Amino acid sequence: MSTPWSDEELKASVEVYVEMLNKQRRGEGVIKARYYRTLEKRFGRTAKAFEYRAQNISYVYALQGRAWVRGLKPAGNVGVKIVARLEALIAEVEGQQPSSSATFATEVNERRSLYRDNALTPPAGRQSPSKISVSATVYERDPDVVAWVLTQADGVCECCDSPAPFTREDGSLFLEVHHLKRLADGGPDIVENAIGLCPNCHRELHAGLGKHELAARLIDKIERLNAY
């Protein structure tokens, strides 16, 4: 039976991961094996174990709809308790407000497997859902950027070229403005990084299996966009 991971080991893994991710954002080279060997010497676990844990961290970033370290494909066969610990540590290391979006998504995925085996028994749910107060880091967006992008899109999704799915109560056509490189990942709030999308394409660019390939196609398709 494997030894449970301590908070110190998990935090060190997250710190290394965030450092690699920041280097990737700056366009610097990342020698991943060197980091794993350093952790191996420090804690006694194998470098391979730390590499796999890094893939679990990629999984948390992916569930949050964020960019992850290239070459560390998200590995999702990890329990909700570990995901919750990693998600809290990511927020701590990055100096952000805690999030539970990846933890909730993992809980949902675990329960889906249960309902596949017993689909005829629905959950009771909650007649009076409890309320919690949460804090979040919100980036102040430039309204001129949003207005310009929506004006350029003119009611047509810049990804799939479909008309806006509905009209708002104020008479405007509904599209959403997406930053190809998220503001949370250091992306700039400029029109060269923003695109007007229908809700389906917007969610695909956050959570789709081929979101990176789709983003690359959009950069080729739309002249103003840059690869940040």
Side-chain angles (χ1 to χ4, degrees):
M1 184 175 178
S2 60
T3 304
W5 285 61
S6 68
D7 286 336
E8 185 180 8
E9 289 175 303
L10 290 176
K11 185 173 183 180
S13 299
V14 170
E15 289 172 336
V16 159
Y17 189 97
V18 171
E19 183 176 336
M20 290 191 291
L21 187 57
N22 286 335
K23 283 189 172 184
Q24 176 179 293
R25 291 169 182 162
R26 295 192 297 266
E28 301 175 12
V30 178
I31 304 176
K32 302 181 187 71
R34 184 176 298 171
Y35 287 102
Y36 306 145
R37 287 195 296 269
T38 299
L39 291 171
E40 181 180 49
K41 291 177 182 177
R42 179 178 171 185
F43 294 106
R45 291 189 188 271
T46 66
K48 194 67 179 177
F50 285 106
E51 179 183 18
Y52 189 75
R53 184 59 75 201
Q55 290 182 268
N56 294 151
I57 298 172
S58 288
Y59 175 69
V60 175
Y61 272 88
L63 288 179
Q64 292 179 339
R66 301 181 59 187
W68 36 272
V69 175
R70 288 188 293 271
L72 289 174
K73 185 176 180 181
N77 53 335
V78 59
V80 66
K81 290 183 179 179
I82 292 294
V83 169
R85 291 166 73 187
L86 291 175
E87 190 162 36
L89 287 168
I90 288 170
E92 178 184 339
V93 171
E94 291 187 332
Q96 306 283 356
Q97 293 291 342
S99 169
S100 60
S101 58
T103 303
F104 183 77
T106 304
E107 289 179 322
V108 171
N109 287 337
E110 288 186 354
R111 283 160 174 74
R112 286 181 68 184
S113 64
L114 296 176
Y115 286 114
R116 278 193 290 268
D117 297 332
N118 190 17
L120 296 180
T121 305
R126 301 170 184 173
Q127 293 293 338
S128 300
S130 58
K131 295 185 291 186
I132 58 173
S133 297
V134 297
S135 298
T137 300
V138 178
Y139 289 85
E140 185 177 2
R141 299 174 64 179
D142 188 335
D144 286 314
V145 170
V146 174
W148 190 92
V149 169
L150 291 177
T151 300
Q152 291 296 306
D154 195 23
V156 176
C157 176
E158 292 188 282
C159 180
C160 68
D161 299 319
S162 297
F166 61 88
T167 302
R168 298 175 187 264
E169 288 183 318
D170 64 3
S172 63
L173 295 171
F174 182 84
L175 290 177
E176 299 171 334
V177 174
H178 170 75
H179 291 83
L180 286 179
K181 182 174 183 181
R182 284 171 41 123
L183 303 184
D185 294 327
D189 187 17
I190 57 177
V191 299
E192 293 84 359
N193 186 43
I195 184 171
L197 301 172
C198 69
N200 279 349
C201 289
H202 194 181
R203 295 319 306 165
E204 183 175 3
L205 278 164
H206 274 286
L209 179 61
K211 63 183 180 181
H212 299 298
E213 293 78 8
L214 180 56
R217 291 201 300 271
L218 288 171
I219 291 169
D220 289 337
K221 175 185 177 183
I222 301 173
E223 186 175 355
R224 74 171 184 273
L225 297 178
N226 288 327
Y228 289 95

